Amino acid sequence: SLIEHISGNIAQIDIEANKKEVYQNILMSLYNYSPAKIYNIEKFLLEDAFEENNDEKISRLSNLMLQGALISANYTEASTLLHNILSRLEKPTLIVDGAVNTKFLLLSLINIEILFNIGEFGQCVETAKDILTILKPNLIDKIKPASFSTNLFVGHLMETFRLAAFAKLFLMDNEIEEFLELIKSALDTDLPDKECILAIKDFISGKNYQTGNVECATPFAKVVYLILQEFENNATNYNVFAQNIYQAKLLAADIHQKQLEIFCEILIANSYANINCLQK
């Protein structure tokens, strides 16, 4: 706003350069804290970088915007931004000169999250398989980012592969157990939500499902088990079903599982529709 009131003896090109510098400073100060609020600034700078055909700037800005898109669950935008980065990598492959390309691996993990959330389940599974094929327990410390502890990185890998396992489940194929074993082989430990995924598989197949020790389950699995329990006990008792699923929805929101939260909302809406409570 102040720049717009600068006296006319300054060249327009210099004013525009000043604007960009202010935008850049705001961006670098705030992108970690309020990605949604600075999106228009980022978009302006990215369009400018494309006009300049500046690959380094395009990649850097796309990376910053990608973080914001993931935080705000804007996965369609995230897909475009990831493409901006991948298409400018010098060697966009998992293996380079016989070693794991850590940068491409990390971007591939992000790609799994994006593919899952835009419904590209087949590609999501294939991308995960590509990573699991080259991943081995003794490689974890070598490929993890310097800012990650080993436990944190393994947790990140597990969270991502859980999405791929659910994608496999949604595809309704018969190889979910083999895929879970592939994860165990790559990381030398079972996927924490393995029992939860197998319980859903059995439930939708009309079989008796096993929850294992619910107290030791992950927060995600506990929400799923609550939903399964309501299907089993209160599927036609629509008021009770909706009220209990609402509790599951709150739990899903607490652990930032947006897709699970929306699924609960759909179940609640369906319950009230069945008893003609259309306003609810």
Side-chain angles (χ1 to χ4, degrees):
S1 180
L2 288 171
I3 289 171
E4 295 297 337
H5 294 88
I6 290 175
S7 58
N9 62 345
I10 297 177
Q12 187 63 34
I13 190 170
D14 291 334
I15 292 175
E16 290 301 319
N18 277 326
K19 279 186 182 180
K20 289 174 189 175
E21 186 176 349
V22 171
Y23 287 151
Q24 186 71 33
N25 287 337
I26 293 170
L27 171 63
M28 297 312 294
S29 298
L30 295 182
Y31 82 93
N32 266 336
Y33 304 97
S34 187
K37 288 184 179 179
I38 60 167
Y39 177 79
N40 287 332
I41 293 175
E42 293 174 316
K43 193 172 182 183
F44 171 84
L45 291 172
L46 184 59
E47 287 170 357
D48 189 63
F50 271 107
E51 284 183 17
E52 294 176 8
N53 200 25
N54 187 326
D55 285 342
E56 188 275 330
K57 193 182 288 186
I58 291 169
S59 294
R60 180 166 49 80
L61 286 166
S62 293
N63 190 50
L64 289 176
M65 292 176 73
L66 178 60
Q67 295 176 51
L70 294 172
I71 290 168
S72 57
N74 187 349
Y75 291 104
T76 304
E77 178 73 6
S79 181
T80 300
L81 295 166
L82 182 62
H83 173 75
N84 290 346
I85 301 166
L86 289 172
S87 61
R88 286 165 177 81
L89 281 184
E90 186 178 348
K91 295 180 178 178
T93 57
L94 278 170
I95 301 295
V96 175
D97 299 328
V100 176
N101 182 352
T102 300
K103 187 170 185 178
F104 186 79
L105 172 71
L106 295 174
L107 291 171
S108 296
L109 293 173
I110 292 172
N111 197 27
I112 289 171
E113 179 182 350
I114 293 170
L115 291 168
F116 176 80
N117 281 286
I118 62 174
E120 294 286 352
F121 299 130
Q123 200 176 341
C124 174
V125 171
E126 290 307 311
T127 303
K129 279 184 175 178
D130 288 343
I131 296 173
L132 289 167
T133 301
I134 61 104
L135 204 56
K136 293 179 176 57
N138 62 350
L139 288 177
I140 301 299
D141 283 331
K142 296 177 183 176
I143 62 175
K144 74 175 181 65
S147 58
F148 278 58
S149 68
T150 301
N151 286 342
L152 188 62
F153 185 53
V154 170
H156 178 55
L157 290 169
M158 287 295 194
E159 187 79 9
T160 304
F161 292 139
R162 182 185 52 125
L163 296 178
F166 266 88
K168 191 95 170 148
L169 186 67
F170 294 164
L171 291 168
M172 298 288 286
D173 65 27
N174 294 316
E175 299 176 358
I176 187 71
E177 285 92 346
E178 289 86 339
F179 186 74
L180 294 170
E181 281 302 312
L182 194 59
I183 295 172
K184 182 178 181 179
S185 175
L187 297 174
D188 199 28
T189 185
D190 277 320
L191 187 72
D193 290 309
K194 176 182 176 179
E195 297 303 323
C196 166
I197 292 165
L198 293 176
I200 297 172
K201 178 178 181 290
D202 287 341
F203 177 80
I204 59 181
S205 301
K207 300 175 183 176
N208 291 326
Y209 64 90
Q210 301 295 322
T211 61
N213 187 344
V214 176
E215 291 301 316
C216 296
T218 66
F220 180 92
K222 287 177 181 176
V223 178
V224 171
Y225 291 149
L226 198 162
I227 295 170
L228 290 178
Q229 177 181 293
E230 290 310 303
F231 270 118
E232 186 145 324
N233 298 332
N234 295 306
T236 57
N237 189 348
Y238 297 115
N239 261 318
V240 174
F241 183 88
Q243 290 166 15
N244 290 342
I245 292 295
Y246 179 71
Q247 297 305 314
K249 176 198 162 181
L250 295 179
L251 291 172
D254 283 345
I255 59 173
H256 310 293
Q257 292 296 330
K258 189 68 177 175
Q259 191 174 67
L260 203 52
E261 183 184 353
I262 292 171
F263 179 60
C264 288
E265 288 180 348
I266 293 169
L267 293 178
I268 294 165
N270 181 65
S271 295
Y272 285 129
N274 274 307
I275 54 176
N276 209 33
C277 258
L278 299 183
Q279 185 176 358
K280 283 193 176 183

CSV table of all heavy atoms in Angstrom, one decimal, residues 128-172:
chain,number,residue,atom,x,y,z
A,128,ALA,N,4.4,-46.6,-4.3
A,128,ALA,CA,4.8,-47.1,-3.0
A,128,ALA,C,5.6,-48.4,-3.2
A,128,ALA,O,6.7,-48.6,-2.6
A,128,ALA,CB,3.6,-47.5,-2.1
A,129,LYS,N,5.2,-49.3,-4.2
A,129,LYS,CA,5.9,-50.5,-4.5
A,129,LYS,C,7.3,-50.2,-5.0
A,129,LYS,O,8.3,-50.9,-4.7
A,129,LYS,CB,5.1,-51.3,-5.5
A,129,LYS,CG,4.0,-52.1,-4.9
A,129,LYS,CD,3.4,-53.0,-6.0
A,129,LYS,CE,2.3,-53.9,-5.5
A,129,LYS,NZ,1.7,-54.7,-6.6
A,130,ASP,N,7.4,-49.1,-5.9
A,130,ASP,CA,8.7,-48.8,-6.4
A,130,ASP,C,9.7,-48.4,-5.3
A,130,ASP,O,10.9,-48.8,-5.3
A,130,ASP,CB,8.6,-47.5,-7.3
A,130,ASP,CG,7.9,-47.9,-8.6
A,130,ASP,OD1,7.8,-49.1,-9.0
A,130,ASP,OD2,7.4,-46.9,-9.3
A,131,ILE,N,9.2,-47.7,-4.2
A,131,ILE,CA,10.0,-47.4,-3.1
A,131,ILE,C,10.4,-48.6,-2.3
A,131,ILE,O,11.5,-48.8,-1.9
A,131,ILE,CB,9.4,-46.3,-2.2
A,131,ILE,CG1,9.2,-45.0,-3.0
A,131,ILE,CG2,10.2,-46.0,-1.0
A,131,ILE,CD1,8.4,-43.9,-2.3
A,132,LEU,N,9.4,-49.4,-2.0
A,132,LEU,CA,9.5,-50.6,-1.1
A,132,LEU,C,10.5,-51.6,-1.7
A,132,LEU,O,11.2,-52.3,-1.0
A,132,LEU,CB,8.2,-51.2,-0.8
A,132,LEU,CG,7.3,-50.4,0.1
A,132,LEU,CD1,5.9,-51.0,0.1
A,132,LEU,CD2,7.8,-50.4,1.5
A,133,THR,N,10.6,-51.6,-3.1
A,133,THR,CA,11.5,-52.5,-3.8
A,133,THR,C,12.9,-52.2,-3.5
A,133,THR,O,13.8,-53.1,-3.4
A,133,THR,CB,11.2,-52.5,-5.3
A,133,THR,OG1,9.8,-52.8,-5.5
A,133,THR,CG2,12.1,-53.5,-6.0
A,134,ILE,N,13.2,-50.9,-3.3
A,134,ILE,CA,14.6,-50.6,-3.1
A,134,ILE,C,15.0,-50.3,-1.7
A,134,ILE,O,16.1,-50.1,-1.3
A,134,ILE,CB,15.0,-49.4,-4.0
A,134,ILE,CG1,14.2,-48.1,-3.7
A,134,ILE,CG2,14.9,-49.7,-5.5
A,134,ILE,CD1,14.8,-47.1,-2.9
A,135,LEU,N,14.0,-50.2,-0.8
A,135,LEU,CA,14.2,-49.8,0.6
A,135,LEU,C,14.6,-51.1,1.4
A,135,LEU,O,14.0,-52.1,1.3
A,135,LEU,CB,12.9,-49.2,1.1
A,135,LEU,CG,13.0,-48.3,2.3
A,135,LEU,CD1,13.9,-47.1,2.0
A,135,LEU,CD2,11.6,-47.8,2.7
A,136,LYS,N,15.6,-50.9,2.3
A,136,LYS,CA,16.0,-51.9,3.1
A,136,LYS,C,16.3,-51.3,4.5
A,136,LYS,O,16.7,-50.2,4.6
A,136,LYS,CB,17.3,-52.6,2.6
A,136,LYS,CG,17.0,-53.4,1.3
A,136,LYS,CD,18.3,-54.0,0.8
A,136,LYS,CE,18.1,-54.9,-0.4
A,136,LYS,NZ,17.4,-54.2,-1.5
A,137,PRO,N,16.1,-52.1,5.6
A,137,PRO,CA,16.4,-51.6,6.9
A,137,PRO,C,17.7,-50.9,7.1
A,137,PRO,O,17.8,-49.9,7.8
A,137,PRO,CB,16.2,-52.8,7.8
A,137,PRO,CG,15.3,-53.8,7.1
A,137,PRO,CD,15.7,-53.5,5.6
A,138,ASN,N,18.8,-51.5,6.5
A,138,ASN,CA,20.1,-50.9,6.7
A,138,ASN,C,20.3,-49.6,5.9
A,138,ASN,O,21.4,-49.0,6.0
A,138,ASN,CB,21.2,-51.9,6.4
A,138,ASN,CG,21.2,-52.3,4.9
A,138,ASN,OD1,20.2,-52.0,4.2
A,138,ASN,ND2,22.2,-53.0,4.5
A,139,LEU,N,19.3,-49.2,5.1
A,139,LEU,CA,19.5,-47.9,4.3
A,139,LEU,C,18.8,-46.7,5.0
A,139,LEU,O,19.1,-45.6,4.6
A,139,LEU,CB,18.8,-48.1,3.0
A,139,LEU,CG,19.5,-49.0,1.9
A,139,LEU,CD1,18.7,-49.1,0.7
A,139,LEU,CD2,20.9,-48.4,1.6
A,140,ILE,N,18.0,-47.0,6.0
A,140,ILE,CA,17.2,-45.9,6.6
A,140,ILE,C,18.1,-44.8,7.1
A,140,ILE,O,17.9,-43.6,6.8
A,140,ILE,CB,16.4,-46.4,7.8
A,140,ILE,CG1,15.4,-47.5,7.4
A,140,ILE,CG2,15.6,-45.3,8.5
A,140,ILE,CD1,14.4,-47.1,6.3
A,141,ASP,N,19.2,-45.1,7.9
A,141,ASP,CA,20.0,-44.0,8.4
A,141,ASP,C,20.8,-43.3,7.3
A,141,ASP,O,21.1,-42.1,7.5
A,141,ASP,CB,21.0,-44.6,9.4
A,141,ASP,CG,20.4,-44.8,10.8
A,141,ASP,OD1,19.4,-44.1,11.1
A,141,ASP,OD2,20.8,-45.8,11.5
A,142,LYS,N,21.0,-43.9,6.2
A,142,LYS,CA,21.8,-43.3,5.1
A,142,LYS,C,20.9,-42.4,4.3
A,142,LYS,O,21.4,-41.4,3.7
A,142,LYS,CB,22.3,-44.4,4.2
A,142,LYS,CG,23.4,-45.3,4.8
A,142,LYS,CD,23.8,-46.4,3.9
A,142,LYS,CE,24.8,-47.4,4.5
A,142,LYS,NZ,25.2,-48.5,3.6
A,143,ILE,N,19.6,-42.6,4.2
A,143,ILE,CA,18.8,-41.8,3.3
A,143,ILE,C,17.9,-40.8,4.0
A,143,ILE,O,17.3,-40.0,3.4
A,143,ILE,CB,17.9,-42.7,2.4
A,143,ILE,CG1,16.9,-43.6,3.3
A,143,ILE,CG2,18.7,-43.6,1.6
A,143,ILE,CD1,15.9,-44.4,2.6
A,144,LYS,N,17.8,-40.9,5.4
A,144,LYS,CA,16.9,-40.0,6.1
A,144,LYS,C,17.5,-38.6,6.0
A,144,LYS,O,18.7,-38.3,6.0
A,144,LYS,CB,16.8,-40.4,7.5
A,144,LYS,CG,18.0,-40.2,8.4
A,144,LYS,CD,17.7,-40.5,9.9
A,144,LYS,CE,18.9,-40.3,10.7
A,144,LYS,NZ,19.2,-38.8,10.8
A,145,PRO,N,16.6,-37.6,6.0
A,145,PRO,CA,17.1,-36.2,6.0
A,145,PRO,C,17.8,-35.9,7.3
A,145,PRO,O,17.5,-36.5,8.3
A,145,PRO,CB,15.8,-35.4,5.9
A,145,PRO,CG,14.7,-36.3,5.4
A,145,PRO,CD,15.1,-37.7,5.9
A,146,ALA,N,18.8,-35.0,7.3
A,146,ALA,CA,19.6,-34.6,8.4
A,146,ALA,C,18.7,-34.1,9.6
A,146,ALA,O,19.0,-34.3,10.8
A,146,ALA,CB,20.6,-33.6,8.1
A,147,SER,N,17.6,-33.5,9.3
A,147,SER,CA,16.7,-32.9,10.3
A,147,SER,C,15.8,-33.9,11.0
A,147,SER,O,15.1,-33.6,11.9
A,147,SER,CB,15.9,-31.8,9.7
A,147,SER,OG,15.1,-32.3,8.6
A,148,PHE,N,15.8,-35.1,10.5
A,148,PHE,CA,14.9,-36.2,11.0
A,148,PHE,C,15.7,-37.1,11.9
A,148,PHE,O,16.9,-37.5,11.6
A,148,PHE,CB,14.3,-37.0,9.9
A,148,PHE,CG,13.1,-36.4,9.2
A,148,PHE,CD1,13.2,-35.2,8.7
A,148,PHE,CD2,11.9,-37.1,9.2
A,148,PHE,CE1,12.1,-34.6,8.0
A,148,PHE,CE2,10.8,-36.6,8.6
A,148,PHE,CZ,10.9,-35.3,8.0
A,149,SER,N,15.2,-37.5,13.0
A,149,SER,CA,15.7,-38.7,13.8
A,149,SER,C,15.3,-39.9,13.0
A,149,SER,O,14.4,-39.9,12.2
A,149,SER,CB,15.2,-38.7,15.2
A,149,SER,OG,13.8,-39.0,15.2
A,150,THR,N,16.0,-41.0,13.3
A,150,THR,CA,15.6,-42.3,12.7
A,150,THR,C,14.2,-42.7,13.0
A,150,THR,O,13.4,-43.0,12.1
A,150,THR,CB,16.5,-43.4,13.2
A,150,THR,OG1,17.9,-43.1,12.8
A,150,THR,CG2,16.2,-44.7,12.5
A,151,ASN,N,13.8,-42.5,14.2
A,151,ASN,CA,12.4,-42.9,14.6
A,151,ASN,C,11.4,-42.0,13.9
A,151,ASN,O,10.3,-42.5,13.5
A,151,ASN,CB,12.2,-42.8,16.1
A,151,ASN,CG,12.8,-43.9,16.9
A,151,ASN,OD1,13.2,-45.0,16.3
A,151,ASN,ND2,13.1,-43.7,18.2
A,152,LEU,N,11.7,-40.7,13.8
A,152,LEU,CA,10.7,-39.8,13.1
A,152,LEU,C,10.6,-40.1,11.6
A,152,LEU,O,9.5,-40.1,11.1
A,152,LEU,CB,11.2,-38.4,13.3
A,152,LEU,CG,10.3,-37.3,12.8
A,152,LEU,CD1,9.0,-37.3,13.6
A,152,LEU,CD2,11.0,-35.9,13.0
A,153,PHE,N,11.7,-40.5,11.0
A,153,PHE,CA,11.7,-40.8,9.6
A,153,PHE,C,11.0,-42.1,9.3
A,153,PHE,O,10.2,-42.2,8.4
A,153,PHE,CB,13.2,-40.9,9.1
A,153,PHE,CG,13.2,-41.1,7.6
A,153,PHE,CD1,12.6,-40.3,6.7
A,153,PHE,CD2,14.0,-42.2,7.0
A,153,PHE,CE1,12.6,-40.4,5.3
A,153,PHE,CE2,14.0,-42.4,5.7
A,153,PHE,CZ,13.4,-41.5,4.8
A,154,VAL,N,11.2,-43.1,10.2
A,154,VAL,CA,10.5,-44.4,10.0
A,154,VAL,C,9.0,-44.1,10.3
A,154,VAL,O,8.2,-44.7,9.5
A,154,VAL,CB,11.0,-45.4,11.0
A,154,VAL,CG1,10.1,-46.7,11.1
A,154,VAL,CG2,12.4,-45.9,10.7
A,155,GLY,N,8.6,-43.3,11.2
A,155,GLY,CA,7.2,-42.9,11.4
A,155,GLY,C,6.6,-42.3,10.2
A,155,GLY,O,5.5,-42.6,9.8
A,156,HIS,N,7.4,-41.4,9.6
A,156,HIS,CA,6.9,-40.7,8.3
A,156,HIS,C,6.7,-41.8,7.2
A,156,HIS,O,5.7,-41.7,6.5
A,156,HIS,CB,7.9,-39.7,7.9
A,156,HIS,CG,7.6,-39.0,6.6
A,156,HIS,ND1,6.4,-38.3,6.5
A,156,HIS,CD2,8.3,-38.8,5.5
A,156,HIS,CE1,6.4,-37.8,5.2
A,156,HIS,NE2,7.5,-38.1,4.6
A,157,LEU,N,7.6,-42.7,7.1
A,157,LEU,CA,7.5,-43.8,6.1
A,157,LEU,C,6.3,-44.6,6.3
A,157,LEU,O,5.5,-44.9,5.4
A,157,LEU,CB,8.8,-44.6,6.1
A,157,LEU,CG,10.1,-44.0,5.5
A,157,LEU,CD1,11.2,-44.9,5.9
A,157,LEU,CD2,10.0,-43.8,4.0
A,158,MET,N,6.1,-45.0,7.6
A,158,MET,CA,4.9,-45.8,8.0
A,158,MET,C,3.6,-45.1,7.7
A,158,MET,O,2.6,-45.7,7.2
A,158,MET,CB,5.0,-46.2,9.4
A,158,MET,CG,6.0,-47.2,9.8
A,158,MET,SD,5.7,-48.8,9.0
A,158,MET,CE,6.8,-49.9,9.9
A,159,GLU,N,3.6,-43.8,8.0
A,159,GLU,CA,2.3,-43.0,7.8
A,159,GLU,C,2.0,-43.0,6.3
A,159,GLU,O,0.9,-43.1,5.9
A,159,GLU,CB,2.6,-41.6,8.3
A,159,GLU,CG,1.4,-40.7,8.3
A,159,GLU,CD,0.4,-40.9,9.4
A,159,GLU,OE1,0.7,-41.6,10.3
A,159,GLU,OE2,-0.7,-40.3,9.3
A,160,THR,N,3.1,-42.8,5.5
A,160,THR,CA,2.9,-42.8,4.0
A,160,THR,C,2.4,-44.1,3.5
A,160,THR,O,1.5,-44.2,2.6
A,160,THR,CB,4.2,-42.3,3.3
A,160,THR,OG1,4.6,-41.1,3.9
A,160,THR,CG2,3.9,-42.1,1.8
A,161,PHE,N,3.1,-45.2,3.9
A,161,PHE,CA,2.8,-46.5,3.4
A,161,PHE,C,1.4,-47.0,3.9
A,161,PHE,O,0.8,-47.8,3.2
A,161,PHE,CB,3.9,-47.5,3.8
A,161,PHE,CG,5.2,-47.3,3.1
A,161,PHE,CD1,6.4,-47.4,3.8
A,161,PHE,CD2,5.2,-46.9,1.7
A,161,PHE,CE1,7.6,-47.2,3.1
A,161,PHE,CE2,6.4,-46.7,1.1
A,161,PHE,CZ,7.6,-46.8,1.8
A,162,ARG,N,1.0,-46.5,5.0
A,162,ARG,CA,-0.4,-46.8,5.4
A,162,ARG,C,-1.4,-46.3,4.4
A,162,ARG,O,-2.4,-46.9,4.1
A,162,ARG,CB,-0.7,-46.1,6.8
A,162,ARG,CG,-2.1,-46.4,7.3
A,162,ARG,CD,-2.3,-45.7,8.6
A,162,ARG,NE,-2.1,-44.3,8.3
A,162,ARG,CZ,-2.9,-43.3,8.5
A,162,ARG,NH1,-4.1,-43.5,9.0
A,162,ARG,NH2,-2.6,-42.1,8.2
A,163,LEU,N,-1.2,-45.1,3.9
A,163,LEU,CA,-2.0,-44.6,2.8
A,163,LEU,C,-2.1,-45.5,1.6
A,163,LEU,O,-3.1,-45.8,1.0
A,163,LEU,CB,-1.6,-43.2,2.4
A,163,LEU,CG,-1.6,-42.1,3.4
A,163,LEU,CD1,-1.1,-40.8,2.8
A,163,LEU,CD2,-3.0,-41.9,3.9
A,164,ALA,N,-0.9,-46.0,1.2
A,164,ALA,CA,-0.8,-46.9,0.1
A,164,ALA,C,-1.5,-48.2,0.4
A,164,ALA,O,-2.2,-48.8,-0.5
A,164,ALA,CB,0.7,-47.2,-0.3
A,165,ALA,N,-1.4,-48.7,1.6
A,165,ALA,CA,-2.1,-49.9,2.0
A,165,ALA,C,-3.6,-49.7,1.9
A,165,ALA,O,-4.4,-50.6,1.5
A,165,ALA,CB,-1.7,-50.3,3.4
A,166,PHE,N,-4.1,-48.5,2.3
A,166,PHE,CA,-5.5,-48.3,2.2
A,166,PHE,C,-5.9,-48.1,0.8
A,166,PHE,O,-7.0,-48.5,0.4
A,166,PHE,CB,-5.9,-47.0,3.0
A,166,PHE,CG,-6.4,-47.3,4.4
A,166,PHE,CD1,-5.5,-47.4,5.4
A,166,PHE,CD2,-7.7,-47.5,4.6
A,166,PHE,CE1,-5.9,-47.7,6.7
A,166,PHE,CE2,-8.2,-47.8,5.9
A,166,PHE,CZ,-7.3,-47.9,7.0
A,167,ALA,N,-5.1,-47.6,-0.1
A,167,ALA,CA,-5.4,-47.5,-1.5
A,167,ALA,C,-5.5,-48.9,-2.0
A,167,ALA,O,-6.4,-49.2,-2.8
A,167,ALA,CB,-4.2,-46.8,-2.2
A,168,LYS,N,-4.6,-49.8,-1.6
A,168,LYS,CA,-4.7,-51.2,-2.0
A,168,LYS,C,-6.1,-51.8,-1.5
A,168,LYS,O,-6.7,-52.6,-2.3
A,168,LYS,CB,-3.6,-52.0,-1.3
A,168,LYS,CG,-3.3,-53.4,-1.9
A,168,LYS,CD,-2.3,-53.4,-2.9
A,168,LYS,CE,-1.9,-54.8,-3.3
A,168,LYS,NZ,-1.5,-54.9,-4.7
A,169,LEU,N,-6.5,-51.5,-0.3
A,169,LEU,CA,-7.7,-52.0,0.2
A,169,LEU,C,-8.9,-51.5,-0.6
A,169,LEU,O,-9.8,-52.2,-1.0
A,169,LEU,CB,-7.9,-51.5,1.7
A,169,LEU,CG,-9.1,-52.0,2.5
A,169,LEU,CD1,-9.0,-53.5,2.7
A,169,LEU,CD2,-9.1,-51.3,3.8
A,170,PHE,N,-8.9,-50.2,-1.0
A,170,PHE,CA,-9.9,-49.6,-1.8
A,170,PHE,C,-10.0,-50.2,-3.2
A,170,PHE,O,-11.1,-50.2,-3.8
A,170,PHE,CB,-9.7,-48.1,-1.9
A,170,PHE,CG,-9.8,-47.3,-0.6
A,170,PHE,CD1,-9.4,-46.0,-0.5
A,170,PHE,CD2,-10.4,-47.9,0.5
A,170,PHE,CE1,-9.5,-45.3,0.6
A,170,PHE,CE2,-10.5,-47.2,1.7
A,170,PHE,CZ,-10.0,-45.9,1.8
A,171,LEU,N,-8.9,-50.7,-3.7
A,171,LEU,CA,-8.9,-51.3,-5.0
A,171,LEU,C,-9.6,-52.7,-5.0
A,171,LEU,O,-9.8,-53.3,-6.0
A,171,LEU,CB,-7.5,-51.4,-5.6
A,171,LEU,CG,-6.8,-50.1,-5.9
A,171,LEU,CD1,-5.3,-50.3,-6.2
A,171,LEU,CD2,-7.5,-49.5,-7.2
A,172,MET,N,-9.8,-53.2,-3.8
A,172,MET,CA,-10.5,-54.5,-3.6
A,172,MET,C,-9.8,-55.7,-4.2
A,172,MET,O,-10.4,-56.6,-4.7
A,172,MET,CB,-11.9,-54.4,-4.1
A,172,MET,CG,-12.8,-53.4,-3.4
A,172,MET,SD,-13.2,-53.9,-1.7
A,172,MET,CE,-14.4,-55.1,-2.0
